Amino acid sequence: GPSLGALGLHSQPPSPKCPGGVAAAALMEARPSVEACGQRATRRRKTRHRTAGKALDPTLEAVLGAEGLAPTLLQRTTSDASSKMERNVTEEDSAAAGMGLSLSKSSGGSGGSRCSDLALTRADAAQFELPARRLGTSGGTAPFFQLLLKKPLAEGGSLEHYIGKDLSHARDEVNFYEQARALLQQQERQQNAAAGSTRSAFQDLLGFTLEYAGVATCPVDGAAADEAPKELLVMRNMRDGCKRLRMLDIKIGEKTADAGWQGKSRMAALKQDILDGFTNSKGEGYRLEGFDGPPPALRSMDPLLDVLGLHAPGQGSRKKALRFMLQRMPAAEVFMHLIDVHQEPEDPGDEMLAEVRAPMEAAELALHEICGRLASLAVACRRCPAPQKWVGSSVALGFEGGSLPSRQASEADIRRNVRVSLFDWGRSELNTPEFDEAERLDRATFWRYYMGGIDRLAWEAARCYRHRFGAANGWLTAHVTVYDFDSCSDSDFIGQASLPLRPTEETTVQLTDFSGGEVRSMRGPPATLTYRIAWRAYPAESRLRGAWRVTILRADHLPGLDHFQGRLTSDPFAVVTAVSQDGRFRFRQQTCVVERQLNPSWDETFQLPVAADPSALHTALDAAAPGLGAAPLGGVLPHEEAADE
């Protein structure tokens, strides 16, 4: 059967000129600016890239061949990619491309018509409760405002459907939304005129963008008496319907700036390119820009922990350090934290499982939906009839992280609260196929960057799901490794223990080093780990048969490793790695960091889920494109340690 395609591997290393794949040249070549950092995590990522980041499997062409889209997948030169992309537009998309909208002209990198040249869609401010209340900022600059509807848009709808963004900080962004709105409306009219027509490629791709309702003129709370009302860009509120949204802001593309594009100077673009080299953008084709509602384990990782003894940085320094830590985080670790529900939301207990779903059940549904939508996004990018230049745009991935769904709630309702959306269009343009040759080459280059980042992100999501929720034969052991957290270098190994998975009352075992010897401080007793294990069965209708509950209670007599900080303590945390019965599945999760302790107490319970349906991931991929999930996934989605090897 066909292999995973948009999420898969190729049997041969890709050519640096190959337009398909996960930013192939970036993944296959060592980046000097990253390599200079000397971080072991970076070396692991580059090793993993040689396994995971190869060109897209050409057999996806067979999967998409029935739609006439295959030749757009893997071309060998930029010019071939551009010309074939245009030749393989379907008849419907050709009609849409020639509809006369001026969307493809950039006027020397200006990104299309400016905001002032467009007739903006007006949203009726009378439908909102006014004045609008300020909520906060995006990236520290763009204020957002709460726009409460006076009545729902539809029966049973929410009053928090929309949110407002200060237009003075979003003039380039509203330009993109207006172009997309015009294009989609034109294609809808064409569909209505042609009975039986299917959705176009542009409709599939732009369906991932946030809903845009226009621009509203609204008075805002706290404004001075003589202050004019604000112009607000009215868009879909991603927090609508969520008690506490857990969401990633992932900036796509290995190159996030271009000299001369949207007013970016050559020096500013060079500076940004250097910064990109120190982040995950150059490594995997994207980087984590923000994490809303992070789990406690991630919140406990203080990026300035090792420098607090030297000086007391302010909140600005701490925020910048945290942002840089997130930007360097590889996707495997990002998804580990995204699906970390071992502390939040709170576990309901065995007696409540008949009424509400367990946190692990909710996380499984969320990640399953994310995998399917990211695969659909990867396919939609390939179906796009013209290369796009979406510099610095982001993908939002999120789900409800503050409450548990009722057992009676349908899967469809739970999946509707999952977020996979494209946003942040300040430096993007929307193109149809009319280009001169110079524009075509430039757009094709940046579209390869973008598609490569989406491919790799979808691949990482699928790999995370497979190893966390794909083990139907159960788990054999839980391997626990205790580290000393270091914010300025790799965390130091302290000790390890392997725990056989069987019901176990509170038990204490000695930690060992890599050679099996005991771990102890200079004059202290051996270091120990205390744990307990229990099995929890889920209701028969659950997508999971049950889960092993591994509780890491505490560690005692750990050696102090903070010598360079002038302390005799450590900042310990434990990593739990589950290994399946057949060894094909494994995933990891970690506890919180306990600062300056030799006898840390965690009392954190991890759940190792056993799947009821081992084909769930195949189903999600097949929904994106028939045949996409037909291949065996074991070799396509190896676990992290196998990729390192």
Side-chain angles (χ1 to χ4, degrees), residues 479-482 493-498 510-516 519:
H479 189 76
V480 182
T481 309
V482 180
F493 171 82
I494 294 179
Q496 61 187 354
S498 288
Q510 286 191 13
L511 293 174
T512 62
D513 58 21
F514 288 122
S515 62
V519 174

Side-chain angles (χ1 to χ4, degrees), residues 2 5 29 155 200 258 265 318 372 394 411 524 605 643:
E29 298 173 3
E155 185 177 353
S200 71
D258 185 27
S265 68
R318 187 180 299 277
S394 296
E411 279 191 20
T605 299

Side-chain angles (χ1 to χ4, degrees), residues 208-449:
F208 285 94
T209 62
L210 291 177
E211 176 188 348
Y212 166 68
V215 175
T217 304
C218 302
V220 298
D221 190 32
D226 58 346
E227 185 176 343
K230 283 191 177 293
E231 295 283 287
L232 301 182
L233 190 155
V234 182
M235 64 179 72
R236 186 71 168 96
N237 179 12
M238 284 193 282
R239 299 181 185 277
D240 179 30
C242 293
K243 180 179 178 181
R244 186 170 186 265
L245 181 65
R246 177 174 293 183
M247 186 175 69
L248 307 175
D249 173 359
I250 302 175
K251 191 173 291 294
I252 301 297
E254 68 167 274
K255 190 177 179 67
T256 62
D258 185 27
W261 179 254
Q262 303 285 17
K264 181 74 73 172
S265 68
R266 185 176 298 276
M267 182 58 66
L270 176 61
K271 178 182 177 181
Q272 186 61 52
D273 191 56
I274 294 173
L275 291 176
D276 288 345
F278 283 96
T279 71
N280 200 41
S281 293
K282 282 293 195 289
E284 295 180 349
Y286 47 79
R287 65 172 181 258
L288 180 61
E289 281 292 304
F291 198 140
D292 288 352
L298 180 57
R299 297 200 299 266
S300 71
M301 298 169 63
D302 185 353
L304 296 178
L305 178 63
D306 293 338
V307 302
L308 290 181
L310 303 179
H311 63 283
Q315 280 300 112
S317 299
R318 187 180 299 277
K319 185 176 180 180
K320 290 177 182 178
L322 176 60
R323 184 182 181 188
F324 188 62
M325 182 182 77
L326 296 180
Q327 289 175 335
R328 288 180 50 78
M329 191 175 288
E333 191 170 347
V334 170
F335 279 106
M336 178 191 75
H337 289 300
L338 177 66
I339 307 300
D340 179 6
V341 292
H342 81 277
Q343 291 172 286
E344 294 177 353
E346 185 178 353
D347 187 85
D350 293 342
E351 64 281 356
M352 293 293 294
L353 285 182
E355 299 181 19
V356 298
R357 298 175 191 258
M360 190 58 68
E361 293 180 276
E364 184 274 331
L365 270 174
L367 188 56
H368 187 266
E369 183 69 12
I370 287 172
C371 287
R373 292 196 207 175
L374 283 177
S376 296
L377 176 57
V379 173
C381 286
R382 273 173 175 69
R383 294 189 66 230
C384 185
Q388 306 296 318
K389 190 168 184 178
W390 292 353
V391 180
S393 68
S394 296
V395 175
L397 305 179
F399 64 97
E400 170 60 77
S403 62
L404 296 173
S406 166
R407 183 69 62 181
Q408 285 68 46
S410 67
E411 279 191 20
D413 289 338
I414 299 172
R415 291 176 185 273
R416 271 193 289 270
N417 273 337
V418 175
R419 309 289 190 254
V420 178
S421 300
L422 304 179
F423 70 103
D424 197 0
W425 304 107
R427 288 176 287 144
S428 301
E429 68 176 8
L430 184 59
N431 301 316
T432 52
E434 297 81 20
F435 287 104
D436 60 38
E437 190 61 23
E439 287 179 328
R440 182 180 303 281
L441 293 173
D442 176 69
R443 304 310 186 265
T445 297
F446 278 87
W447 193 227
R448 289 201 308 274
Y449 294 153

Side-chain angles (χ1 to χ4, degrees), residues 75-76 94 187 191 242 289 319 424 436 556 627 645:
Q75 314 299 342
R76 292 301 168 186
S94 297
Q187 295 200 347
Q191 276 187 308
C242 293
E289 281 292 304
K319 185 176 180 180
D424 197 0
D436 60 38
D556 293 293
E645 294 162 4

